[in-house]
């Protein structure tokens, strides 16, 4: 998809999220938790941003495989477009199923299932790791002979459809339940209830689950999230906790055969107590924090500015120098890390805020390399180094209330 189109997708999907929120509020349903929604949108911002760098890589891979290894020379046609959609969804089913059954694939996919809420913001929880894993599975399509342009076009449709099934506001849809994956089917997939685990892997069509014995209907109200809730807003921890769990389990496992079984085995091969040990080592969560409306307002402002920055970046990407693209990417990722850490009231966010401001000054200096600007920058640095303790305490009082 052209990056300009990707840019306009941001306000479109945000508008639909807002509409779902209003519908839920109007019907008296509390489907949106503040911290969960922020975490969901943050993961989506990272994935949209990295798409600007990966979409060309994916097309190159498909083009290379099609040019050198294609078995058939498939041309565009109505029936072939439909066949490609079926094949894309069939491959997705098996990728998705294996992503729940194989640890190293689950490490990429687990982020999508961490939210304890279930709404349109959850559809944004896709990581670049998952995008690369899916691309590896879909790489069979150019080998069969489908042209890369056809593949990317179908994947665009295939990628938009799942957005609309991440909702609790739409009930069962009658006869459509027999053909397509519906919100009811996908609510089951995101549930942690015992009878719903490892069910309904389909993305567009539900008959793959019925064919391969992984289908079940929604009966009792689902409980969403992981069977062992993550209970953390940390952007980094959400992405890397299960990778760490695999690494530490492998280190504690004797024998190469058993180590390989950990990597390629099911998630239940990982000791459920491992995460608690790693949280003590790397996360150090404070369970007694009090979240103020001022803190939530600051985080909301941060996420709002991020979305504006992401939209502008995607819309104007072809006109932005590479150096500024790198600096903008750094600012966005620093902010993503900071918003999660601020919700957990970490003290080191002060230093990330400082680095982010410095990166902003670098961008301004790139466009306006005036001696007066450099002098101003030096003058601004002086109170930071001389009064750093006082500035830090004032920042925490303003943000955390203490």
């Amino acid at each position: 998809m052209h990056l300009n189109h990707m840019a306009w997708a941001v306000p479109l999907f945000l508008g639909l999220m807002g509409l779902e929120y209003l519908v839920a509020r109007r019907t008296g349903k509390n489907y949106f938790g503040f911290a969960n929604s922020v975490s969901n949108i943050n993961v989506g911002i990272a994935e949209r941003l990295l798409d600007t760098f990966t979409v060309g890589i994916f097309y190159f891979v498909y083009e290379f495989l099609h040019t050198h290894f294609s078995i058939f020379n498939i041309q565009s046609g109505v029936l072939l477009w439909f066949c490609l959609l079926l094949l894309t969804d069939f491959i997705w089913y098996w990728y998705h199923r294996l992503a729940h059954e194989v640890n190293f694939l689950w490490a990429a996919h687990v982020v999508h299932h961490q939210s304890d809420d279930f709404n349109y913001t959850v559809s944004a929880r896709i990581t670049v790791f998952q995008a690369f894993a899916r691309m590896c599975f879909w790489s069979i399509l150019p080998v069969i002979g489908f042209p890369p342009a056809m593949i990317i076009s179908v994947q665009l449709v295939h990628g938009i459809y799942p957005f609309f099934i991440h909702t609790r506001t739409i009930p069962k849809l009658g006869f459509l339940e027999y053909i397509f994956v519906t919100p009811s089917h996908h609510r089951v997939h995101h549930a942690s209830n015992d009878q719903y685990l490892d069910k309904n892997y389909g993305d567009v069509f539900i008959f793959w689950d019925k064919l391969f014995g992984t289908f079940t209907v929604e009966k009792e109200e689902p409980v969403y999230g992981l069977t062992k809730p993550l209970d953390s807003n940390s952007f980094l921890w959400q992405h890397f906790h299960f990778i760490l769990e695999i690494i530490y389990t492998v280190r504690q496992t004797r024998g190469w055969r058993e180590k390989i079984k950990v990597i390629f085995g099911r998630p239940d091969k990982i000791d459920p107590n491992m995460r608690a040990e790693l949280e003590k080592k790397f996360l150090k969560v404070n369970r007694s924090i009090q979240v103020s409306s001022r803190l939530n307002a600051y985080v909301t402002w941060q996420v709002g500015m991020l979305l504006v920055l992401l939209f502008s970046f995607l819309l104007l990407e072809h006109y932005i120098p590479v150096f500024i693209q790198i600096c903008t990417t750094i600012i966005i990722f620093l902010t993503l890390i900071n918003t999660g850490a601020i919700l957990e009231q970490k003290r080191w966010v002060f230093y990330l805020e400082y680095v982010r401001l410095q990166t902003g000054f670098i961008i301004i200096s790139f466009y306006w390399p005036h001696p007066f600007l450099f002098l101003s920058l030096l003058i601004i640095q002086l109170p930071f180094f001389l009064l750093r303790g006082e500035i830090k305490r004032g920042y925490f009082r303003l943000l955390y209330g203490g």
Side-chain angles (χ1 to χ4, degrees), residues 137-210:
F137 278 78
W138 277 328
S139 291
I140 189 64
L141 294 171
V143 175
I144 292 172
F146 289 100
M150 281 184 70
I151 296 170
I152 296 293
S153 298
V154 168
Q155 286 176 359
L156 170 60
V157 176
H158 197 267
I160 291 174
Y161 179 84
F163 174 87
F164 297 96
I165 60 177
H166 288 84
T167 182
R168 298 169 68 182
T169 58
I170 298 175
K172 293 188 178 183
L173 297 175
F175 76 94
L176 293 178
E177 302 279 325
Y178 296 99
I179 305 168
F180 297 103
V181 175
T182 64
S184 176
H185 295 146
H186 209 59
R187 288 193 288 268
V188 166
H189 178 69
H190 273 262
S192 58
N193 313 53
D194 286 341
Q195 70 271 31
Y196 292 156
L197 293 177
D198 300 326
K199 300 294 183 183
N200 297 3
Y201 293 114
D203 203 44
V204 175
F205 299 111
I206 197 60
F207 43 69
W208 306 121
D209 286 285
K210 295 182 177 182

Side-chain angles (χ1 to χ4, degrees), residues 43-101:
V43 174
I45 288 171
E47 193 267 339
R48 281 294 96 187
L49 175 66
L50 292 175
D51 265 355
T52 62
F53 304 102
T54 60
V55 69
I57 296 173
F58 294 167
Y59 190 90
F60 171 81
V61 170
Y62 293 151
E63 183 68 42
F64 179 84
L65 292 172
H66 183 260
T67 301
H68 296 90
F69 301 102
S70 60
I71 299 170
F72 303 105
N73 183 24
I74 296 174
Q75 302 298 316
S76 178
V78 175
L79 182 60
L80 289 169
W81 279 98
F82 181 69
C83 287
L84 178 56
L85 177 60
L86 278 178
L87 267 174
T88 299
D89 201 56
F90 174 73
I91 294 168
W92 164 269
Y93 170 87
W94 283 106
Y95 154 72
H96 197 185
R97 181 169 174 174
L98 290 172
H100 281 255
E101 296 177 351

Side-chain angles (χ1 to χ4, degrees), residues 330-349:
I330 290 171
I331 287 176
I332 289 175
F333 271 96
L334 287 174
T335 309
L336 291 174
I337 294 167
N338 244 23
T339 49
I342 286 170
L343 285 171
E344 297 188 343
Q345 299 192 12
K346 300 294 186 184
R347 316 302 281 185
W348 48 261
V349 297

Side-chain angles (χ1 to χ4, degrees), residues 230-386:
L230 192 64
D231 198 22
S232 171
N233 300 307
S234 168
F235 178 81
L236 293 175
W237 188 250
Q238 289 171 358
H239 281 76
F240 297 107
H241 77 90
F242 196 73
I243 295 173
L244 281 174
E245 289 177 47
I246 293 174
I247 291 171
Y248 274 75
T249 303
V250 167
R251 285 175 59 179
Q252 293 176 11
T253 302
R254 294 186 175 181
W256 283 104
R257 183 174 296 180
E258 294 303 314
K259 290 177 185 290
I260 291 172
K261 283 182 181 178
V262 170
I263 297 170
F264 292 93
R266 297 179 66 90
D268 55 20
K269 281 273 186 185
I270 304 294
D271 182 355
N273 297 316
M274 176 66 70
R275 191 193 303 166
E277 294 177 22
L278 293 175
E279 283 177 348
K280 291 177 184 176
K281 188 179 182 69
F282 294 103
L283 197 58
K284 298 176 182 173
V285 177
N286 180 5
R287 305 293 182 191
S288 62
I289 61 174
Q290 298 293 320
V291 178
S292 66
S293 57
R294 180 187 295 170
L295 186 146
N296 284 351
Y298 182 69
V299 170
T300 301
W301 177 82
Q302 296 262 24
V303 174
M305 293 300 294
L306 267 185
L307 289 166
V308 171
L309 184 58
L310 176 68
F311 173 74
S312 305
F313 183 88
L314 296 176
L315 193 66
L316 304 172
E317 187 263 348
H318 288 298
Y319 307 101
I320 302 174
V322 173
F323 177 74
I324 300 302
Q325 288 185 34
I326 294 170
C327 289
T328 304
T329 301
I330 290 171
I331 287 176
I332 289 175
F333 271 96
L334 287 174
T335 309
L336 291 174
I337 294 167
N338 244 23
T339 49
I342 286 170
L343 285 171
E344 297 188 343
Q345 299 192 12
K346 300 294 186 184
R347 316 302 281 185
W348 48 261
V349 297
F350 176 78
Y351 298 100
L352 285 194
E353 295 273 31
Y354 177 72
V355 173
R356 185 173 59 172
L357 283 173
Q358 294 289 64
T359 309
F361 270 113
I362 290 171
I363 292 175
I364 296 171
S365 301
F366 180 86
Y367 284 107
W368 191 43
H370 196 279
F372 175 75
L373 183 67
F374 292 110
L375 180 62
S376 301
L377 180 59
L378 288 173
I379 293 172
I380 290 170
Q381 305 301 313
L382 192 60
F384 177 83
F385 286 107
L386 295 178

